[in-house]
Amino acid sequence: MEIFHKPNIDFIGLRWYPIGASLLVVTLGLAAIGIKGFNYSIEFTGGSLIQVSFPAGSKTNVDHVRKALEKEHLEAEVQSVEADHPIFILREKSTEDEAAVTTFSDKTMEVLEKAFPDDKPTLDRKDVIGPVVGKDLRRRTLWAIVLSLFGIIIYVAYQFENPIWGIAGVVALFHDVIGVAGLFALLGLQVDLLIVTALLTIAGYSISDTIVIFDRMREKMRTERGLPLDVLINSSMNETLSRTVITVLIVQIVCVVLYVAGGMVLRDFAFAMVVGNILGTYSSIGVAAPLVFEYQVRVGGKKVSSGGQAAAVPTVKIKDGGRRRP
């Protein structure tokens, strides 16, 4: 299936427009993160946690509990627990001590008993999530992201036997992750473990699209060795354009459905995925391959169709074919 019939877009000739736009996205994203910071969830900051249950047969659900708390201006994260009767876990950012969790639990129980007089709730447990736990989780999360990006560089560099290809791919997905993270900081949306999952998922989709383009470029280096580099990359990107757009459209349909019908718990996750997929597709097409082109022409001495900066055409190392000329 093809959306575009034999497209002939000069991606390399227009490369500075998407690269410039990506630099703007990264700059604004870093500025938003630096100035406003993240609105971390309780997992990262510490706070109070209580578990509340309702009698068997009660029709109380998450939305009922949220509305009851909002009506009394009591802010808390609410999560349902799978059981034969309604059970909910409520979290609140607060000072991490026993007095804070007691105050939070007392207020919450008072509000719920008032809102549901026929289904009297029961306080099952109350706990404190300390700041040390939150700090350690932030550190582990940061390391998870850094190690994931480093692993992607190693994988792509191994597959294409050139670290520049891996670095270009990670630079492109760094743009995607920073763009989404900056938007969350700017809008004050809460960052929890589910959002971290979304960021890593976005990175996975982005590098997957990039590898498809890189693989076509490598194939053409093997089969069309006399082709100038800009023509080769443009051809590879145009040939994979339909596949890239179709893939992102399918993913976007799922993410939009999650955003509309997934409820409050999944809404921010779906929003991150929608924005991240757009940025990921854009960077795969407009950033990753053009960065490889810039390096290969300026440093590697590859030839281009006209106005090239180097006349020499050095050998190119290809994994399954030894050294050949492009």
Side-chain angles (χ1 to χ4, degrees), residues 64-79:
H64 295 155
V65 175
R66 284 200 185 101
K67 290 178 181 178
L69 297 178
E70 290 172 0
K71 186 177 180 181
E72 299 296 330
H73 307 288
L74 186 61
E75 296 183 1
E77 300 175 24
V78 184
Q79 178 183 1

Side-chain angles (χ1 to χ4, degrees), residues 127-236:
D127 293 308
V128 174
I129 300 176
V132 175
V133 176
K135 184 177 180 180
D136 181 65
L137 189 56
R138 287 200 301 271
R139 180 181 60 82
R140 290 174 179 270
T141 299
L142 180 61
W143 272 109
I145 295 175
V146 170
L147 291 177
S148 297
L149 297 181
F150 185 68
I152 289 172
I153 291 179
I154 294 176
Y155 170 76
V156 177
Y158 169 77
Q159 287 297 317
F160 297 95
E161 295 199 352
N162 192 333
I164 293 303
W165 295 52
I167 293 171
V170 168
V171 168
L173 66 87
F174 177 78
H175 153 271
D176 312 331
V177 172
I178 290 298
V180 175
L183 185 59
F184 266 67
L186 181 65
L187 298 178
L189 299 176
Q190 192 171 80
V191 176
D192 55 18
L193 291 176
L194 196 58
I195 301 305
V196 174
T197 303
L199 294 178
L200 293 176
T201 304
I202 290 165
Y205 274 117
S206 177
I207 198 64
S208 176
D209 282 340
T210 301
I211 287 176
V212 169
I213 297 173
F214 282 178
D215 192 59
R216 185 61 59 90
M217 289 165 54
R218 179 176 60 177
E219 181 183 346
K220 284 185 173 293
M221 285 181 175
R222 204 165 46 234
T223 60
E224 302 180 33
R225 290 175 289 174
L227 214 57
L229 186 61
D230 55 341
V231 176
L232 184 148
I233 294 178
N234 274 332
S235 176
S236 301

Side-chain angles (χ1 to χ4, degrees), residues 8 28 39 49 59 91 93 103 105-106 109-110 143 159 173 214 223 231 238 241 260 262-263 266 272 285 290 293 295:
N8 188 28
L28 293 177
N39 176 23
L49 178 150
K59 303 298 183 181
R91 300 180 177 91
K93 298 179 188 177
T103 300
S105 63
D106 291 344
M109 294 306 296
E110 180 182 347
W143 272 109
Q159 287 297 317
L173 66 87
F214 282 178
T223 60
V231 176
N238 279 292
L241 186 60
V260 174
L266 295 177
I285 296 173
F293 172 82
Y295 177 84

Side-chain angles (χ1 to χ4, degrees), residues 63 253-267 270:
D63 289 334
I253 290 172
V254 176
C255 293
V256 170
V257 171
L258 282 177
Y259 182 81
V260 174
M264 293 295 296
V265 174
L266 295 177
R267 183 158 295 169

